[in-house]
Amino acid sequence: MASINMKQTDPTAWLEEYRGKDFTGSWPTMKEMFDLTVKRYPNNNCFTDFDGPGGSRRTLNYTQAKEKILQLAAWLAANGVKYQDRVAVSGKNSPEWTVVYLAAFYAGATIVPIDYGLHNEETENLLNTAEPKFFFVDAEKYDYFIQKKAKYQVYSLAPEHEDRYVYNLSTDKKTEVTYPKEDDIAAILFTSGTTGTPKGVMLTHKNLVSDTYLAQTNMNIYSTDVFYALLPIHHAYTMTAVFIEAISVGAEIVFGKTMAVSRMMKELREGKITMLLGVPLLFNKLLAGIMKGIKEKGAFVFGIIKFLMGLSYAIKKLTKCNPGKVLFKAVLQKANIYTLRIAICGGGPLAPSVFKAYNELGIDFVQGYGLTETSPIIALNPVYAFKIQSVGKNLRDVEFKVIDADENGIGELCVKGPMIMKGYYNMPEETAAVFTPDGWFKTGDLGWIDNEGYVMLSGRAKNMIVTAGGKNVYPEEIENAFQLYDEIEQITIQGYIPEGQSAGEEIEALVYPADAMLTRIGAVRTKPEDSNKIFKEVTAIVDTVNKELLPYQKISKVTILAAPLEMTTTKKVKRIYKK
């Protein structure tokens, strides 16, 4: 069993100036944190989107944002919201969404962010579980919920519904409010089980605020930064690492509502984004586009640029200087990422080759690691002390250990720290099951930790495949080997027991080919006569990857999918687990 607890520098020393006056706990609450930021940076840009007339920019500074938050909070309190009541919100990323989120705290309540991508019936199930007083929902789903006879009242995040629009709700009534304390529940985030009994992660104010500030022990962020909220903001990753991180330092948030390339390019360019947080799928597609543009310039130019990329990376690792921004300025400008200061990948491990390519191009690119239950950040690669094979280094005040390790030292990662959830909402047995008797949270992830505190991730415990030879195979490691093959849109690795065997799994790849592959080979997905041609192309790629895998990792069966598997909002495949 390995245990690690390393000390890093403290980026939060400035808080001591305000301790005892502006907050009295070990950490500020979410309300107190936002109050501090408005006091320090009243005129900084806070919330920005491009939903004005003709796609024009709309921006609220911190003072204006707080005015809208206080107005809504007063209305909520005047209309019956009391200490630790719940307020739910579901919609596209927007300033209105964040105003509801923060106003709940100023009214003494708990916020319940709900995935806007869920079916209406699933959303109803979550609402029935959470029992909020109010539900704020976006335009597309407003009509469905407003006609429901429910205990909660429905209001709108969109200006089309003028009389129930969030910015139009106000009152002159003064209501006494009991503000939350640091150990009170700030947010309930539902992660799964939306057709049965939903599992709601209870995160306290201390969980969220400590995680936000402690993440800065591994990365400097500034009041001049501009964060891009592109992934769904209800998810713990975007909620903490973009939204709450930005408002903790007085930075600006630009809200993206779609991954449509033209819209995303406009927001990156006009928003002058400095902090881009995404998932492997986003960064793979962005890099594929960049490299395609370079290849189109011919083999000679491509060869020179690849040489310069290798040189840039070597200089960065040796000197801690970043020459890529100068060497590849034109390439980065064309991709609208020249203004980026840092790119962070979360939501799953990124292929080391992709990680390295961004750093070669001059983008300070790092990986982080965490779960909803950990608020979510528990490990983050320092910008100039990163390890390509690692998902991050433990934050200050975070301890890791590995339990039930195999002969290679790989076991289940367990963690302690101030950001670990209070538990699952109304689920004491499920809560107890994810903690060890001595209080460590069991992540369900398999991996190991090196002697400097860097976390090496192998995969999810429940995804692990056990071969006939007794070897443990982690599907994620094999899937990562395909990340740069853009002719494969989706690949999922699973175990199967060949006919005639009673035990011992082999490796199967479920593959959904990309449209680009079908176009290149002149095949149509729905034509049975083209199936052999498609299978031949896919197996050629699988055979290439197989040569790089260990013998017990090799794929022995390929299944071509007629339709892609369902994905989560952070673009991870929803796996079907065998009983």
Side-chain angles (χ1 to χ4, degrees), residues 232-464:
I233 199 169
H234 77 274
H235 191 277
Y237 176 37
T238 311
M239 188 184 76
T240 298
V242 178
F243 169 41
I244 304 177
E245 284 291 352
I247 63 173
S248 77
V249 298
E252 181 179 4
I253 307 164
V254 171
F255 295 93
K257 298 188 179 181
T258 173
M259 281 197 193
V261 174
S262 58
R263 171 89 184 220
M264 191 169 74
M265 291 297 109
K266 169 187 168 70
E267 290 166 347
L268 282 168
R269 181 177 62 253
E270 296 184 20
K272 294 182 170 54
I273 306 300
T274 68
M275 301 290 290
L276 176 61
L277 285 81
V279 292
L281 180 68
L282 170 66
F283 288 116
N284 290 338
K285 286 186 177 296
L286 191 57
L287 180 62
I290 292 171
M291 299 311 292
K292 181 182 178 184
I294 295 172
K295 286 176 183 174
E296 287 172 353
K297 296 181 183 298
F300 180 70
V301 172
F302 181 71
I304 290 174
I305 288 180
K306 284 295 287 180
F307 169 77
L308 290 174
M309 286 171 67
L311 180 64
S312 167
Y313 183 79
I315 292 171
K316 181 175 182 180
K317 287 296 282 182
L318 287 170
T319 68
K320 313 300 184 191
C321 293
N322 187 356
K325 272 287 184 79
V326 177
L327 288 171
F328 306 112
K329 181 176 180 179
V331 173
L332 299 175
Q333 284 179 326
K334 188 173 182 182
N336 295 306
I337 56 174
Y338 180 69
T339 59
L340 284 192
R341 196 169 66 78
I342 297 174
I344 305 172
C345 186
L350 188 72
S353 54
V354 180
F355 189 178
K356 185 177 181 182
Y358 278 101
N359 277 289
E360 288 174 332
L361 287 166
I363 298 296
D364 286 335
F365 192 99
V366 298
Q367 291 195 82
Y369 168 63
L371 303 92
T372 302
E373 289 90 341
T374 63
S375 300
I377 312 163
I378 44 178
L380 188 63
N381 263 294
V383 172
Y384 286 100
F386 63 86
K387 294 188 180 183
I388 275 185
Q389 67 273 32
S390 172
V391 292
K393 184 178 183 180
N394 65 302
L395 307 184
R396 199 196 80 208
D397 297 348
V398 173
E399 295 178 87
F400 276 103
K401 73 173 180 179
V402 175
I403 62 172
D404 302 326
D406 63 14
E407 69 275 11
N408 298 313
I410 296 172
E412 184 173 7
L413 296 168
C414 297
V415 65
K416 272 187 178 181
M419 66 288 296
I420 306 302
M421 69 168 183
K422 196 163 191 172
Y424 295 118
Y425 185 62
N426 290 341
M427 288 185 164
E429 291 182 7
E430 287 82 353
T431 299
V434 296
F435 285 93
T436 64
D438 54 348
W440 291 79
F441 173 71
K442 298 189 288 185
T443 66
D445 285 321
L446 297 169
W448 57 283
I449 305 151
D450 73 9
N451 58 7
E452 294 181 286
Y454 287 82
V455 178
M456 312 295 173
L457 206 60
S458 298
R460 292 292 289 171
K462 58 187 175 182
N463 297 348
M464 189 175 71

